């Protein structure tokens, strides 16, 4: 299973038993994270920690991947989550534990979704640019603007023998943006 974290929000995929290549439906692997421009300086990374369950149902650390804010989208072009041009990105799995070597990669899709309260068209590239700009230390204070961001663990190919595979076709839910 994968634990996905952004700021203090944490979500996890379910455990799939008896397989080294679990497949998740979008409802189980797509998570929305509300974000605020006023908190942009604290965003840091989206973190993916990959775990396995052994025969005795103990958690086994398999590795982790991080996607820094600046790398959420290619070339600064932010996308709606369900935009056909929004493609998954591949991130290498690493280990922060000396006793647990890791290799492989995880494929994730990140994107914005409109807020149900404000369904009007939003320029996601403008919002993303503002998030990146405000994530850097400055003396300018940010107004309390709300946004939400979604990601999905799309494909996970993990560890020495390719021990895991998560697949999530386009997921129906994602981030919310409001001004």
């Amino acid at each position: 299973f994968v634990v996905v974290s952004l700021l203090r929000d944490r979500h996890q995929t379910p455990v799939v038993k008896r397989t080294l290549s679990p497949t998740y439906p979008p409802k189980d692997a797509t998570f929305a994270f509300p974000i605020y421009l006023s908190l942009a300086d604290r965003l840091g990374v989206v973190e993916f920690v990959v775990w396995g369950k052994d025969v005795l149902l103990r958690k086994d650390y398999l590795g982790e991947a991080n996607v820094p804010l600046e790398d959420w989208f290619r070339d600064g072009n932010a996308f709606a989550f369900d935009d056909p041009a929004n493609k998954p990105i591949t991130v290498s799995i690493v280990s922060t534990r000396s006793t647990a070597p890791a290799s492989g990669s995880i494929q994730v899709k990140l994107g914005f979704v409109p807020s149900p309260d404000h369904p009007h068209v939003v320029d996601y590239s403008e919002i993303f640019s503002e998030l990146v700009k405000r994530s850097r230390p400055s003396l300018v204070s940010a107004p309390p603007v709300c946004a939400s961001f979604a990601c999905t663990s799309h494909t996970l190919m993990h560890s020495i023998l390719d021990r895991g595979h998560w697949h999530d076709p386009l997921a129906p839910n994602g981030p919310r943006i409001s001004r």
Side-chain angles (χ1 to χ4, degrees):
F1 65 97
V2 178
V3 177
V4 184
S5 305
L6 178 66
L7 293 172
R8 293 184 181 187
D9 288 341
R10 182 173 291 179
H11 301 277
Q12 93 176 39
T13 63
V15 173
V16 177
K17 297 179 182 177
R18 296 186 185 97
T19 182
L20 298 178
S21 299
T23 299
Y24 293 107
K27 70 177 183 58
D28 291 337
T30 303
F31 309 109
F33 294 91
I35 55 177
Y36 300 86
L37 287 174
S38 60
L39 298 177
D41 62 330
R42 297 184 207 150
L43 281 176
V45 300
V46 177
E47 179 182 61
F48 302 88
V49 181
V50 183
W51 298 90
K53 291 268 186 160
D54 65 16
V55 178
L56 301 175
L57 297 179
R58 290 184 300 224
K59 289 188 339 183
D60 287 330
Y61 173 83
L62 299 176
E64 57 196 83
N66 295 305
V67 182
L69 172 63
E70 295 82 10
D71 296 338
W72 286 2
F73 299 101
R74 297 170 302 283
D75 304 321
N77 297 316
F79 295 99
F81 189 76
D82 59 357
D83 186 325
N86 188 7
K87 304 295 181 198
I89 59 174
T90 301
V91 184
S92 295
I93 299 290
V94 298
S95 178
T96 57
R97 301 177 183 185
S98 61
T99 58
S103 65
S105 62
I106 185 169
Q107 206 174 48
V108 299
K109 181 177 173 184
L110 308 171
F112 290 101
V113 296
S115 168
D117 301 331
H118 299 84
H120 60 280
V121 177
V122 177
D123 182 349
Y124 296 122
S125 289
E126 180 183 321
I127 290 174
F128 178 64
S129 176
E130 191 65 22
L131 281 170
V132 171
K133 182 173 111 182
R134 292 181 186 204
S135 71
R136 298 183 179 114
S138 77
L139 299 175
V140 179
S141 64
V145 176
C146 176
S148 183
F149 192 75
C151 64
T152 179
S153 56
H154 192 320
T155 308
L156 171 69
M157 298 162 287
H158 183 1
S159 203
I160 298 166
L161 299 173
D162 228 10
R163 294 189 293 185
H165 179 80
W166 275 259
H167 175 70
D168 175 17
L170 294 178
N173 299 322
R176 294 168 179 80
I177 301 294
S178 60
R179 288 185 183 216

